[in-house]
Amino acid sequence: MRTITVAVAGASGYAGGEVLRLLLSHPHVEIGALTAASSAGTTLGGHHPHLVPLADRVLLPTNNETLSGHDVVFLGLPHGQSGAVAAQLGQEALVIDLGADFRLQSAEDWTEFYGGEHAGTWPYGLPELIVGEGRQRDALKGVERIAVPGCNVTAITLGIQPAVAAGLVETTDLVAVLANGYSGAGKAPKANLIAAEALGAASPYGVGGTHRHVPEIMQNLRLAGADDVTISFTPTLVPMARGILATTTARIKDGVDLAAVRSAYAAAYDDEPFIHLLPEGQWPTTAATLGANSAHLQLAIDDRASRLVVVSAIDNLVKGTAGGAIQSMNLALGLEETTGLDTIGLAP
Amino acid sequence: MRTITVAVAGASGYAGGEVLRLLLSHPHVEIGALTAASSAGTTLGGHHPHLVPLADRVLLPTNNETLSGHDVVFLGLPHGQSGAVAAQLGQEALVIDLGADFRLQSAEDWTEFYGGEHAGTWPYGLPELIVGEGRQRDALKGVERIAVPGCNVTAITLGIQPAVAAGLVETTDLVAVLANGYSGAGKAPKANLIAAEALGAASPYGVGGTHRHVPEIMQNLRLAGADDVTISFTPTLVPMARGILATTTARIKDGVDLAAVRSAYAAAYDDEPFIHLLPEGQWPTTAATLGANSAHLQLAIDDRASRLVVVSAIDNLVKGTAGGAIQSMNLALGLEETTGLDTIGLAP
Amino acid sequence: MRTITVAVAGASGYAGGEVLRLLLSHPHVEIGALTAASSAGTTLGGHHPHLVPLADRVLLPTNNETLSGHDVVFLGLPHGQSGAVAAQLGQEALVIDLGADFRLQSAEDWTEFYGGEHAGTWPYGLPELIVGEGRQRDALKGVERIAVPGCNVTAITLGIQPAVAAGLVETTDLVAVLANGYSGAGKAPKANLIAAEALGAASPYGVGGTHRHVPEIMQNLRLAGADDVTISFTPTLVPMARGILATTTARIKDGVDLAAVRSAYAAAYDDEPFIHLLPEGQWPTTAATLGANSAHLQLAIDDRASRLVVVSAIDNLVKGTAGGAIQSMNLALGLEETTGLDTIGLAP
Amino acid sequence: MRTITVAVAGASGYAGGEVLRLLLSHPHVEIGALTAASSAGTTLGGHHPHLVPLADRVLLPTNNETLSGHDVVFLGLPHGQSGAVAAQLGQEALVIDLGADFRLQSAEDWTEFYGGEHAGTWPYGLPELIVGEGRQRDALKGVERIAVPGCNVTAITLGIQPAVAAGLVETTDLVAVLANGYSGAGKAPKANLIAAEALGAASPYGVGGTHRHVPEIMQNLRLAGADDVTISFTPTLVPMARGILATTTARIKDGVDLAAVRSAYAAAYDDEPFIHLLPEGQWPTTAATLGANSAHLQLAIDDRASRLVVVSAIDNLVKGTAGGAIQSMNLALGLEETTGLDTIGLAP
């Protein structure tokens, strides 16, 4: 088949770097322009020494001139900048936004959680999302724009949506607490992100319903079949570079037993190449998903507490960002969905 | 005042070692016999090289002969062994059990969660526990036996009990998820505890209501005023040696606002020397409690989810085990409760 | 080309698991029997949850019956067991020993460092090793037995051999100190390897010339051209799962400047697909090599100390073990040396 | 005895914070003004949540007005600022500089390694430093100015000076490689110090004789008796918050055996309260020194390599900075040298 040329804007950041790491193994992709803002003019090797084949590539400024002429453009830009870049590129390129600008359908939610004006809504890049009787992948074929989901959103949605879609749990009182690796916080140096603070410590952030991923989770679960959704969501930073371990619980409906839940999860995911419901008795570890486009799941019913507990593990930069983005790219371009992606993690 | 002689059984383990670390700073304590099982005959320095002043102490076998004649005996023994040792020692010694044997009031709970026969119930060593109108510390004066709480139990109980006692939340659908350091899992080498598995990974254990700390949490919150308690409780191991960060949520009752909750917490804890409700806007980090007998708390109300979210941080080996044990010892012996304990953590 | 069938003995260990992780991406390999000792009868997924495509494979007992009939057999066995297994398999299989049994040429060295009788010497699986005017890869074509080098040995040899071969440094007073990840210590649970001991700590092992990798390093550097070699070698465990950062220093000969050294390294490695001399000013980080068959190098001359300082980074399980093994397998089988291996690390 | 009032300039940084952590346990100290630059006006609790008793203290601007009137002033300031502050304070206060400005005796060294003009030389705050037949502590009694040593310098000097002073090793070809925790790099957010880069990685810095601690090490060892000193010194960052593990090697002189070396170390350190030569067979771990003013040492002779290998472990912020500073303060003020300091680390 023809070669697909890809540009990456924001190539010096973690999301951009991870797109490049994965694309280097994609059989149909040729990596084109790599652009950056303040790092323009430097070589990629200084930012991502692990990307040896691209070490000498010089980062170009991010603008229409450098980005146009590619089949696909990935955008790893600060909030609010994707729309203008996409508008300039026109419809001939597939534009995949790794940021949040176009994820939400509700302008009201946008304004409440992000502030400012809502840029719009692009097709949502979570192929496994249950949408009524189908999946979101059906909506991604041939699209020219893709909004990649938030990493926490992916972990929680994949964890709880089969129970929601099958009507096995109440959706009005979900509780999710996450253990998050530091790469999810990005590469900009901030006081609370330095290693001396992180090593040997766990701490929460975005507590009390203020995290920007909340409306996106609710949007997904409504698509999966919930009438109404409320969720208490607390991410916590723990000393690892990558990975999300999400513990999501929901009140189980009367009479629902573990067999029924496992059956619903099996029905939802047995054909999914990247989602693995573990054998009974085996619980997920983020280590098993490192570098892979996998989500690992396990579940239990707590009879005393009348809650379903689902634990899901992903690599925030792969299934949570760049891997999911490429999976969606494959769908948009009519490629096999799994092209260039695999399920094998790097452990220990 | 007179010198208190203290023996520690199980001195080669983490709990025993931490009791010794703290007792070395206790002004009234003289450290007597240190005993062990298979490590008897070795010196303490090989097990705990950080305890320099005791490095040359030879570990004795654990038996009545080595332990008797001390004012206080700490027991860091495997489940089921504390009762026989205590019986031999008689009433002249204060015996403080760091294990679980005597924590539960209900023989039925014991059998269900631990198996085997219930050994009995000793006075419960959590001085700050709200018991009706008073505190558990009132029940510890002059006692001859103390059962030290579980570390997760301490983190959750301290986190949520003021809201429970003040009637501000529903107690029938609590959800707690914890990030736990590895020292809580003990010192015995097991496949899932080796460093290569732990580094860079997060994973849950005891999911679905099976963890042995569940009935103890419920027992505490009933004492604090709950009619009925249900709790979904999930601990997760994260790559740190010490520390527990507990995120505990409860449905908030109608009309309760943040000011009311903060006021209840202030009333409960302002006079507590070891519990610190942080200023608004500052969230706990386990790092701030390392090595200290402190618990740090912060809370938020998630209006959309109608839940109170409390985050509490402790050092599992100090406030969660050895520090709490010494605090209770001080009370039992009529010493100032804070003697030999402090609130200053080791950070970064 | 024809499919190569591969068996792995010791598949539940770290070395065996890493061979499998890499072989899953090898285009010509079909994975055959996976065997184990005490874990026979269990599924691979319980030992290596990251190897999703092989999760349901049942581990067979390690014996001639299960291992015979494959084109290649990798042995990840305890010391002293490889010889008997290989003898049974005969010459029709390529046998690749991940252990130490057949690395040393000198029976005397073997007895001194490992004890017991020397099993023999197999072709040494470090293709980049400088041997006189050539490379060790020339000696690997068509061989039926391969002894894979020790991981520390690989890091140090690749780091210093160009300077040795070019006669730029004295070889009689080398000093190497390494920061090592815990996976190099294997998967067997031992007291000093548990996570609570490892997290937040650095400690040395095998100090003072006692480490078994010493004679192997000396053997390599003599092949690379040294008349005589002495090396002080100290590995230190640091809190990471994977990776070796080796700092190797040697007295620089009079009149040798940095340009001469860089030139010798460029000549030695510019054509090597897996060895990357970084641009001046950029120092290696183990993170850039994680999961990759890469070695990253940088060097400096300390004029005051009259020493060359070379820092080399590898992933101990890949370039240090399984990746190097597959690279050698490719050579033995007449495949392209780089088949199924890549240079792209997993960072951050 | 009278109460000593202490001010700390640069109280929001790691060095300043650690001075405060330790002073809170000092029986004769009253903590006075805490000052900062850009953080003036904020409370200490936001910077150091572990320092609970000082949480509400407001940071004042750093100037003569806020600092004067104290018995002791600790300075944790950027390079080049200590001299002017000290000059304003006059001789009535003991001024202890945690920075580098006044450590070096040679103006030439200063200019070469730090650049700019040499500020001068203050009495050097390493009490255990061997100076001819005596110790540096003798020079600290009653002084009004103290320059606290660099943390790497302390680890290496304590590790190798007994062998140097006893003439057991050559001092012209020392090699030291260190594993360093991240708090040694300070609290300012920099790209290479963020947690996502640090976790799971080891990397060197200041390679090739360029690190500013080199001339200070040489100065110390000359005082300890070396005619001439050359040292190759390479620090490496590893994923821990605190701690330095220094591996220092030196060519052993002919005929010197382990007994002679141990005897020299015992003679040098048996009376030192903070330096612990471990029993034979036990190697240092940084964990055993965390939070303590201890240095743990062990040594071996590598007969093949003809080198003495000394491994020393310290906490960079305690014995390497704040603890050593307070030890020197005690000496200057005529207090017992060990007042307020202890030897018990926080492990695991």
Side-chain angles (χ1 to χ4, degrees), chain C residues 7-66:
Chain C
V8 177
S12 61
Y14 285 144
E18 191 69 0
V19 166
L20 291 170
R21 187 181 72 83
L22 295 172
L23 289 181
L24 283 164
S25 303
H26 196 291
H28 306 311
V29 161
E30 182 180 298
I31 295 172
L34 308 182
T35 78
S38 60
S39 296
T42 63
T43 54
L44 192 74
H47 302 280
H48 298 303
H50 59 299
L51 301 178
V52 172
L54 301 172
D56 297 332
R57 285 290 197 91
V58 176
L59 295 174
L60 306 173
T62 301
N63 57 44
N64 190 42
E65 193 178 347
T66 55

Side-chain angles (χ1 to χ4, degrees), chain A residues 144-158:
Chain A
E144 291 153 340
R145 297 289 183 268
I146 295 172
V148 177
C151 55
N152 296 307
V153 178
T154 296
I156 294 171
T157 300
L158 295 178

Side-chain angles (χ1 to χ4, degrees), chain A residues 26-236:
Chain A
H26 195 291
H28 307 310
V29 162
E30 183 181 296
I31 296 173
L34 309 181
T35 78
S38 60
S39 296
T42 63
T43 55
L44 192 73
H47 302 280
H48 298 303
H50 59 300
L51 301 178
V52 171
L54 301 172
D56 297 332
R57 285 289 197 92
V58 177
L59 295 173
L60 306 173
T62 301
N63 58 44
N64 191 42
E65 191 177 351
T66 56
L67 295 176
S68 64
H70 297 85
D71 298 314
V72 183
V73 178
F74 286 87
L75 303 179
L77 303 174
H79 287 321
Q81 301 189 2
S82 300
V85 173
Q88 284 193 295
L89 290 170
Q91 300 304 312
E92 65 270 20
L94 169 60
V95 181
I96 301 178
D97 188 13
L98 303 164
D101 291 17
F102 297 95
R103 291 173 187 162
L104 295 185
Q105 297 177 351
S106 157
E108 197 177 329
D109 280 352
W110 177 268
T111 304
E112 182 174 352
F113 280 86
Y114 290 87
E117 205 177 339
H118 187 219
T121 310
W122 286 359
Y124 189 69
L126 184 58
E128 299 91 347
L129 179 65
I130 299 173
V131 182
E133 298 301 305
R135 297 297 169 109
Q136 176 66 10
R137 64 169 51 83
D138 307 326
L140 291 169
K141 289 175 184 152
V143 299
E144 291 153 340
R145 297 289 183 268
I146 295 172
V148 177
C151 55
N152 296 307
V153 178
T154 296
I156 294 171
T157 300
L158 295 178
I160 201 67
Q161 67 167 2
V164 168
L168 304 176
V169 294
E170 307 289 347
T171 61
T172 46
D173 195 17
L174 305 174
V175 178
V177 180
L178 287 74
N180 295 72
Y182 275 81
S183 60
K187 210 172 174 178
K190 295 177 189 168
N192 67 321
L193 300 180
I194 67 169
E197 297 292 310
L199 287 154
S203 58
Y205 66 99
V207 190
T210 62
H211 196 289
R212 291 168 164 183
H213 285 173
V214 169
E216 192 182 340
I217 299 167
M218 296 168 70
Q219 172 177 298
N220 285 352
L221 297 183
R222 282 191 299 259
L223 290 169
D227 283 333
D228 195 13
V229 181
T230 61
I231 181 163
S232 165
F233 161 55
T234 310
T236 62

Side-chain angles (χ1 to χ4, degrees), chain A residues 14 50 180-190 192-199 237-243 316-317, chain C residues 285 287-288 290 346-348, chain D residues 182 190-202 239:
Chain A
Y14 286 145
H50 59 300
N180 295 72
Y182 275 81
S183 60
K187 210 172 174 178
K190 295 177 189 168
N192 67 321
L193 300 180
I194 67 169
E197 297 292 310
L199 287 154
L237 286 166
V238 302
M240 54 193 195
R242 289 179 180 232
N316 57 300
L317 289 179
Chain C
T285 168
L290 289 186
L346 181 72
Chain D
Y182 275 81
K190 295 177 189 169
N192 68 320
L193 300 180
I194 67 169
E197 297 292 310
L199 286 155

Side-chain angles (χ1 to χ4, degrees), chain C residues 154 158 274-277 289 292-297 312-314 319:
Chain C
T154 297
L158 295 178
F274 297 117
I275 308 188
H276 309 286
L277 179 63
T289 68
N293 201 44
S294 299
H296 287 204
L297 307 183
S312 49
I314 63 168
K319 186 62 190 156

